[in-house]
Amino acid sequence: MSSAIQTKRDVINAILAGKPARWEHGKAVDVYAPANIALVKYWGKRNSELNLPVTSSFSVSLGALGSRINMAREEEAGVKQDTIILNGAPLAADSSFTKRASAYLDLFRPEPDFYFRMETQNTIPTAAGFASSASGFAALAKAVNVLFAFNLSNRELSILARLGSGSAARSLWDGFVEWQAGTQDDGMDSHGDPFEAAWPEFRMGALVISAAEKPVGSREGMQRCVDHCRFYEQWPRRVADDIRHIKACIQNHDFPQCGKLAEENALAMHALMIATQPPLLYWLPESVAAMQKVWTLRQDGLPVWFTMDAGPNLKLLFEQKDEAAIHAEFPGLHIVAPFLT
Ligand code: PMV
């Protein structure tokens, strides 16, 4: 019954009912999930315990940029905490990464004194400005699934990944993914679904303005908008329209329309942020200069658009045919071809 499911643990119990954890021979080796960037954004929760969104959202996964995890039970005698190694370096137990990962792993410990040994490698260059929490939690959910032989479907894993970070619900698939907002209180209908369409010429370029940690995280930022932005009530309809339209553009391989929709959607999200109290302005002066450069280039005939998340960096959107011209304009750009993996 949906009303009985209110906490993360309730969700896990419901999904794992009748699936005992078996780890006797367990080791999760080289489990991978890609990062993703939303073309139609997720901004606002209807339930913050379960990370249930107000709206659906639509993303593209970044292929070879993502998180890779090896996981096993910590066998070392006397160790009473998870061992977490990030990009080859053991992390302190009180680092924010370890705390967040261990709090998530708490949901899956089959016995109170079960500790995990987890090595995670981000193939996303840290300075590239692509967030790694989505791929990290998706890879974590997949690794737990392998370690305990739960045999869960990608949809179920998407629900589990969502409990770690909302946007992680979209990182279970390559290519385009729609995260359905769902309507149920228990969120069992709020998961990703692949949108089957390949677009080999699709390119995204990370334009890094600053790799510093953002002052207001997305959890706090989106809640502030839901509570204090007077225009927020217009956002859900906008997103529903944008998702419908972007799917049509993708099916028609209409890049200019696709880029336009993604850019306008991102700017609409930032408009909500700016119009909230106290205002949330993630842009730096260099972000604005980069946006203006994109607009000027477009006016001069170069088909390039951008999207932005809750931070100062831009992700440029363009097609393969314009790669050289874009590279000449933005020499440091880290270019990703999401459909050429
Ligand atoms: O999943 P979170 O809590 O990091 O939120 C992600 C929010 C945005 O990146 C701004 C938008 C999105 O859909 O990814």
Side-chain angles (χ1 to χ4, degrees), residues 38-43 53-59 170 176-182 191 193-195 235-251 257-258 261-262 264-265:
L39 300 175
V40 180
K41 306 293 184 187
Y42 148 55
W43 195 249
V54 174
T55 71
S56 298
S57 54
F58 191 91
S59 61
R170 300 184 305 237
F176 295 114
V177 177
E178 180 173 4
W179 170 17
Q180 315 282 352
H191 51 72
D193 271 325
F195 181 71
W235 177 244
R237 226 184 68 207
R238 169 75 192 253
V239 168
D241 285 351
D242 286 352
I243 292 180
R244 208 175 51 248
H245 288 142
I246 208 157
K247 285 176 170 174
C249 296
I250 289 169
Q251 262 152 350
Q257 276 305 320
C258 182
L261 266 160
E264 287 178 5
N265 181 273

Side-chain angles (χ1 to χ4, degrees), residues 102-132:
S102 280
Y104 185 72
L105 291 171
D106 282 348
L107 297 166
F108 299 97
R109 289 182 215 286
E111 302 164 353
D113 65 345
F114 187 109
Y115 297 103
F116 294 85
R117 179 178 178 84
M118 173 175 117
E119 287 167 36
T120 176
Q121 202 81 37
N122 280 333
T123 55
I124 311 168
T126 322
F130 290 120
S132 57

